[in-house]
Amino acid sequence: MAEQIVARKSLQSVRIVVIGAGPSGIAAATKLIDAGFRNVVILEAENRIGGRIYTVPFADNVVDLGAQWCHGEKHNVVYETLQKERLNLVESTGDVYEDYKCIRSNKEIVPDDVAEKLKSIAFSTVPERQEGLVNYEGSLGSYLTEKYWSDISKLEPKVDRALAKEFFENFKKFESSVEASDHLFEVSGKGHLDYWICEGDLLLNWKDKGFKTFLELLLKSSVEKPFGILDGRIFLNQRVEQIDWSNPHNIRVKCSNGTVLTSDHVICTVSLGVLKELHGNMFIPSLPVSKVRSIEGLKLGTVDKFFLEFENPFGPSEWKGMCFLWLEEDLESLRDSNLFWLESVFGFYRVSHQPRVLQGWIIGPHARHMESLTEEEALGGILWLLRKFLNFNVPDPVGFKRTQWHANANFRGSYTFRTILSDELRTGAWDLAAPVTTIQGRPVLQFAGESTHNHYYSTVHGAVESGWREAQRLLELYTMIPSRL
């Protein structure tokens, strides 16, 4: 009888709490409001919306501290939304991340013809470009290593093996930044093929407006109402610490500041990193074993950025970027110093619409260590690195920003990948995405976010799709109710 009473609630009366105002939470809430639901609120732990979309003013306009590109066009809901609205908001970044200089730690610039051979071999090993991983049981790192050195051995004329190794070590860091892994040997090989590449340009930048423009589009925001159709429904600085679903007809959501809301449904979009850290105490009763297994098996890795603003455009005008190749003896010295973390800074690149800005990347445990340093210490290390490798003057920057995604308790990392452990546990995003339901099948706890998408994990379009998926789940439930009764 209680189940029937709940089922009789309408789109206007049913209570829905969305946790997290990132792209998945905003996508879910806006779809629910557009569909006619009225009692929808979002609780956001930060003092801003956007989650891992974080556009901030810097230098000549803005930079994206989080999501930076629209990855692909066909079957990409972000790009397709822009096309539907006939909005020209993105453009190609070009070949910045392919046409870069390779520089050794003795300041030697690798000749372009040699660098191109190494790049060609390395890029051709990436699994989405071939069938080799279909029946492969090892890690992505094992696969790439075997393929790279096999192809290097066939190269004529031969390339110096020490140089080939230096390049490959850098390339693995670059590829780890794509995966968000600490290293490629923890990334599932065959699972990697479950990630779908959207056809079209994979590096579409947001010109001089930043990724936040897409959120503004979802929200239908204006100067008067920056939260648009969710005006009055988003509550900032509300960090959820407990979700009590022991009574599935009256779920209690408690925030760290004492705020308590009751609801019929909760859509949880917090990051996988937060779930890993807090799920044991956050949910009462505990989550089902299958969901805990997926939380433990999947991983939210750390990828951080540096933005350096100079008084004038940096370096030779024809250089689009640079990667750093460590000679063995220099690497040994670095590892014995306080600057050991610089080993994982793999390169710097130019930024679209920011002619005076240089953007750098760092991954893994060294990124997490960097986050613990003061800003002055981090900048000092970066300048030491640039001056170590470059044979021209490196001026002091006039502006500096870095990200700290792991140190932030509301994220604990950057984006998700499928691990070897998840294969061993026979779990994946599908278990994380599955709703927790009553015996009758009514969803009580729902989960959205990039980590819950089987094929587009680590992307904004995956996050948006997951938010729409959970909103559609409720829409179908309540629009089907009259035919049930």
Side-chain angles (χ1 to χ4, degrees), residues 321-481:
M322 66 196 83
C323 75
F324 303 135
L325 313 185
W326 284 96
L327 275 67
E328 190 64 34
E329 59 270 25
D330 287 339
L331 186 56
E332 289 180 7
S333 297
L334 179 72
R335 288 175 171 176
D336 287 335
S337 75
N338 291 333
L339 296 175
F340 64 91
W341 56 275
L342 292 169
E343 180 180 350
S344 292
V345 180
F346 59 83
F348 280 83
Y349 307 86
R350 297 200 185 277
V351 182
S352 300
H353 296 273
Q354 287 278 24
R356 299 185 297 109
V357 170
L358 199 62
Q359 177 179 353
W361 297 82
I362 184 173
I363 62 163
H366 290 154
R368 293 189 283 276
H369 175 79
M370 178 280 299
E371 293 184 12
S372 72
L373 302 176
T374 66
E375 187 168 287
E376 291 74 20
E377 289 171 330
L379 176 57
I382 291 300
L383 291 177
W384 180 91
L385 180 70
L386 291 172
R387 289 162 181 163
K388 164 74 175 172
F389 277 80
L390 301 177
N391 59 12
F392 54 82
N393 178 56
V394 176
D396 288 338
V398 296
F400 176 68
K401 280 190 181 295
R402 55 151 175 189
T403 61
Q404 295 171 289
W405 289 108
H406 182 269
N408 189 319
N410 297 323
F411 299 102
R412 293 299 189 219
S414 305
Y415 39 90
T416 307
F417 67 96
R418 184 167 156 184
T419 67
I420 289 288
L421 176 59
S422 66
D423 287 347
E424 291 294 319
L425 295 175
R426 299 186 180 183
T427 188
W430 53 90
D431 283 329
L432 188 55
V436 178
T437 67
T438 62
I439 295 174
Q440 293 80 6
R442 181 178 65 86
V444 177
L445 302 179
Q446 297 167 250
F447 293 81
E450 52 87 15
S451 58
T452 72
H453 201 294
N454 287 339
H455 305 297
Y456 295 141
Y457 52 86
S458 81
T459 68
V460 172
H461 55 276
V464 171
E465 277 197 12
S466 73
W468 286 347
R469 177 194 69 214
E470 297 312 311
Q472 184 64 27
R473 197 187 302 276
L474 293 180
L475 180 58
E476 291 176 1
L477 174 68
Y478 284 93
T479 55
M480 287 173 61
I481 285 171

Side-chain angles (χ1 to χ4, degrees), residues 163-460:
L163 174 60
K165 181 180 179 182
E166 293 163 14
F167 177 85
F168 189 53
E169 290 303 311
N170 179 273
F171 177 76
K172 284 189 292 184
K173 295 169 195 169
F174 176 90
E175 202 59 35
S176 289
S177 78
V178 175
E179 302 293 333
S181 59
D182 285 359
H183 53 79
L184 296 177
F185 296 92
E186 63 178 349
V187 181
S188 166
K190 60 185 178 183
H192 183 80
L193 289 185
D194 284 338
Y195 179 84
W196 291 352
I197 301 290
C198 295
E199 293 180 25
D201 197 319
L202 297 178
L203 294 180
L204 293 168
N205 71 75
W206 294 82
K207 301 183 179 180
D208 58 350
K209 303 297 184 212
F211 217 133
K212 69 178 179 63
T213 54
F214 179 72
L215 295 181
E216 293 167 352
L217 181 62
L218 287 182
L219 291 165
K220 302 174 185 174
S221 66
S222 63
V223 175
E224 296 77 19
K225 289 188 175 183
F227 292 168
I229 61 175
L230 297 185
D231 185 53
R233 301 177 186 276
I234 299 178
F235 298 92
L236 303 178
N237 300 304
Q238 299 290 334
R239 191 166 195 255
V240 172
E241 67 175 18
Q242 189 179 90
I243 302 170
D244 184 343
W245 57 286
S246 54
N247 179 355
H249 308 299
N250 198 50
I251 309 166
R252 288 172 56 86
V253 180
K254 181 181 178 181
C255 298
S256 58
N257 62 2
T259 300
V260 176
L261 277 71
T262 56
S263 68
D264 300 296
H265 305 277
V266 169
I267 301 178
C268 182
T269 76
V270 301
S271 78
L272 176 65
V274 171
L275 288 177
K276 278 181 175 290
E277 185 174 61
L278 300 178
H279 77 84
N281 295 320
M282 178 181 283
F283 296 93
I284 300 176
S286 300
L287 293 173
V289 173
S290 61
K291 195 167 296 294
V292 172
R293 193 167 57 238
S294 67
I295 292 171
E296 292 175 347
L298 297 170
K299 184 174 179 179
L300 189 84
T302 307
V303 180
D304 280 315
K305 305 177 186 180
F306 305 102
F307 292 97
L308 288 83
E309 175 194 2
F310 295 94
E311 189 171 342
N312 299 298
F314 185 86
S317 59
E318 68 274 13
W319 284 24
K320 298 177 183 177
M322 66 196 83
C323 75
F324 303 135
L325 313 185
W326 284 96
L327 275 67
E328 190 64 34
E329 59 270 25
D330 287 339
L331 186 56
E332 289 180 7
S333 297
L334 179 72
R335 288 175 171 176
D336 287 335
S337 75
N338 291 333
L339 296 175
F340 64 91
W341 56 275
L342 292 169
E343 180 180 350
S344 292
V345 180
F346 59 83
F348 280 83
Y349 307 86
R350 297 200 185 277
V351 182
S352 300
H353 296 273
Q354 287 278 24
R356 299 185 297 109
V357 170
L358 199 62
Q359 177 179 353
W361 297 82
I362 184 173
I363 62 163
H366 290 154
R368 293 189 283 276
H369 175 79
M370 178 280 299
E371 293 184 12
S372 72
L373 302 176
T374 66
E375 187 168 287
E376 291 74 20
E377 289 171 330
L379 176 57
I382 291 300
L383 291 177
W384 180 91
L385 180 70
L386 291 172
R387 289 162 181 163
K388 164 74 175 172
F389 277 80
L390 301 177
N391 59 12
F392 54 82
N393 178 56
V394 176
D396 288 338
V398 296
F400 176 68
K401 280 190 181 295
R402 55 151 175 189
T403 61
Q404 295 171 289
W405 289 108
H406 182 269
N408 189 319
N410 297 323
F411 299 102
R412 293 299 189 219
S414 305
Y415 39 90
T416 307
F417 67 96
R418 184 167 156 184
T419 67
I420 289 288
L421 176 59
S422 66
D423 287 347
E424 291 294 319
L425 295 175
R426 299 186 180 183
T427 188
W430 53 90
D431 283 329
L432 188 55
V436 178
T437 67
T438 62
I439 295 174
Q440 293 80 6
R442 181 178 65 86
V444 177
L445 302 179
Q446 297 167 250
F447 293 81
E450 52 87 15
S451 58
T452 72
H453 201 294
N454 287 339
H455 305 297
Y456 295 141
Y457 52 86
S458 81
T459 68
V460 172

Side-chain angles (χ1 to χ4, degrees), residues 1-11 13-14 442 478 481-482 484-485:
M1 180 62 69
E3 192 75 8
Q4 289 183 2
I5 292 172
V6 171
R8 290 177 184 276
K9 289 194 173 185
S10 67
L11 274 67
S13 62
V14 65
R442 181 178 65 86
Y478 284 93
I481 285 171
R484 289 181 181 180
L485 300 179

